[in-house]
Amino acid sequence: MDYTDGRQARDVTENLSHEGLFVQTEQVFRLGDEVRLALSFPGLLDPVEVSGTVAWTRPARADQPAGVGVRVEREQDRRKLGDILSAAGADSHASHVEHEGYRVLIVEDNPHIIEMYSYVLKKLASGELHGKVPLEVHFAPDGHHALQMLREDRFNLVMTDLYMPVMDGFALVERMREEEALRAIPIIAISAGGKEAQDRAMQLGVDIYLRKPVRFVEVLETVKQLLRIK
């Protein structure tokens, strides 16, 4: 993969989805930096150019290289990523959704908040607010239980609080972004924390941060956006 923003360098694409990609790189980026990328997959497609925004960064460690997660917002660029996935035979996620439906994991220890989120998602699944959507809602009281569930079953979206006992949401997000099998799952963080909590969550790899108290419509529209429900 080559950058086309003046920092020409060849780096490795570690993970690719319809919404973005993760790039192994030693270059320094800040959250919110806009980048243009030229993706090259020899033997599959000619180089493909897309634009995106740096959504999270990963520092180098002994067991993994540094890198950045790039979120792609433009629909035409997302279609290009879809073409790459199809050419690579990696578009299994879409077929799973089509045949098995969506599975959402809510990680929250407050039963009243769980009830509200569950109400919104069940409305979406029933077709009262949208065309009927095949959607299952599952729950975990903390990050530890959530990780167990994520490793044992398929989920399309995680909605998590950040401040919980046993394992908090920050640790959950960090672990998910470190594990290959969980890295591409979209994450919504919903918390009463301030700007510092939001910045930390986004740096760790949260896709969208919503601040409590959150409105019914915010939860609905965010879930639809990340699950790509029209």
Side-chain angles (χ1 to χ4, degrees):
M1 186 198 70
D2 295 322
Y3 298 98
T4 57
D5 63 351
R7 305 196 204 188
Q8 295 288 335
R10 290 185 177 274
D11 288 313
V12 176
T13 302
E14 180 178 306
N15 193 46
L16 180 70
S17 72
H18 288 85
E19 289 77 27
L21 62 157
F22 186 86
V23 182
Q24 294 182 11
T25 181
E26 296 297 329
Q27 297 192 76
V28 178
F29 290 92
R30 296 174 301 176
L31 296 181
D33 279 353
E34 295 185 4
V35 292
R36 293 176 57 229
L37 311 172
L39 308 178
S40 177
F41 294 83
L44 292 175
L45 294 172
D46 293 331
V48 174
E49 291 194 6
V50 299
S51 298
T53 303
V54 174
W56 60 287
T57 61
R58 183 180 73 188
R61 296 194 337 194
D63 60 342
Q64 64 183 11
V68 294
V70 178
R71 182 181 300 120
V72 172
E73 301 287 354
R74 297 195 309 177
E75 187 59 36
Q76 59 267 41
D77 286 345
R78 289 188 170 188
R79 284 196 293 268
K80 293 178 184 178
L81 296 181
D83 290 341
I84 293 172
L85 288 167
S86 296
D91 204 8
S92 59
H93 172 76
S95 62
H96 276 307
V97 169
E98 180 179 352
H99 297 296
E100 300 178 31
Y102 300 99
R103 291 168 56 87
V104 177
L105 178 60
I106 297 175
V107 190
E108 171 66 64
D109 63 333
N110 185 322
H112 301 294
I113 295 176
I114 289 174
E115 185 177 358
M116 190 273 276
Y117 296 163
S118 180
Y119 176 80
V120 174
L121 295 178
K122 287 178 180 177
K123 286 282 188 182
L124 181 61
S126 70
E128 293 183 41
L129 303 173
H130 188 277
K132 192 169 183 178
V133 176
L135 186 150
E136 294 181 12
V137 184
H138 299 260
F139 306 94
D142 54 62
H144 175 72
H145 286 85
L147 272 179
Q148 289 182 321
M149 295 173 68
L150 288 164
R151 289 166 177 162
E152 293 172 358
D153 215 330
R154 173 187 66 87
F155 287 94
N156 306 100
L157 176 67
V158 171
M159 299 170 57
T160 184
D161 189 13
L162 294 178
Y163 299 100
M164 297 175 291
V166 185
M167 178 189 289
D168 64 21
F170 297 109
L172 171 62
V173 173
E174 185 173 25
R175 296 285 289 276
M176 286 180 64
R177 293 314 188 211
E178 289 176 348
E179 295 192 21
E180 180 67 30
L182 308 180
R183 188 172 295 149
I185 300 175
I187 303 173
I188 304 171
I190 308 178
S191 174
K195 184 67 164 55
E196 182 178 348
Q198 179 177 356
D199 290 345
R200 182 183 174 195
M202 297 300 292
Q203 186 172 13
L204 287 172
V206 163
D207 290 272
I208 293 179
Y209 181 95
L210 299 178
R211 187 169 184 182
K212 295 177 182 177
V214 66
R215 295 183 300 157
F216 180 105
V217 69
E218 285 183 293
V219 176
L220 175 66
E221 292 303 319
T222 301
V223 169
K224 287 169 57 179
Q225 174 187 339
L226 291 182
L227 291 180
R228 305 194 72 192
I229 297 171
K230 302 298 184 181

